Amino acid sequence: QVQLVESGGGLVQAGGALRLSCAASGSIFSVNAMRWYRQAPGKQREWVATITSGGSTMYSVKGRFTISRGDAENTMYLQMNSLQPEDTAVYFCNADVRSSSSSDYRSYWGKGTLVTVSS
């Protein structure tokens, strides 16, 4: 069984910063691309950033957010700077994981961590 757990959310004032973490655990053989998504109240979930296993990155939020992977293959971070009230959302971790019992990669999701930015 594979689990993704996010942490690091909280309440911050506009202009502040937060660092989100995502850790994948369980019977993992390999982790491929990892992504952050967010879902604001009353809105659809939207993609925020991707980091591949090779370290390539892509963003929908350019300039303020930085995605990275930890020294452990199964961890990922999102450094968020200059936060604005419109960044308020539940942030979800998503990863393509090959479990120890499978030959294929499957997409897994965490349960999310709430980020609230006050004006």
Side-chain angles (χ1 to χ4, degrees):
Q1 187 75 353
V2 174
Q3 288 186 325
L4 298 182
V5 178
E6 304 93 339
S7 61
L11 175 63
V12 64
Q13 288 188 332
L18 282 175
R19 188 190 193 212
L20 305 183
S21 300
C22 171
S25 63
S27 301
I28 296 172
F29 180 83
S30 178
V31 180
N32 202 351
M34 301 184 79
R35 306 169 190 87
W36 287 101
Y37 285 78
R38 66 185 180 184
Q39 187 167 17
K43 295 188 177 181
Q44 290 189 329
R45 190 173 299 188
E46 65 173 354
W47 168 72
V48 173
T50 297
I51 185 165
T52 67
S53 57
S56 297
T57 58
M58 290 163 280
Y59 298 92
S60 68
V61 181
K62 293 182 173 65
R64 298 188 295 119
F65 291 5
T66 303
I67 190 172
S68 61
R69 292 178 81 144
D71 291 338
E73 180 191 37
N74 303 342
T75 56
M76 173 179 67
Y77 305 99
L78 185 69
Q79 177 67 43
M80 304 186 294
N81 298 327
S82 301
L83 284 162
Q84 300 301 315
E86 52 265 35
D87 295 317
T88 293
V90 177
Y91 284 72
F92 296 90
C93 171
N94 168 258
D96 299 331
V97 180
R98 178 182 169 187
S99 69
S100 300
S101 60
S102 174
S103 60
D104 298 318
Y105 284 88
R106 177 187 160 187
S107 181
Y108 290 86
W109 290 87
K111 294 183 178 180
T113 184
L114 177 63
V115 172
T116 304
V117 184
S118 63
S119 58

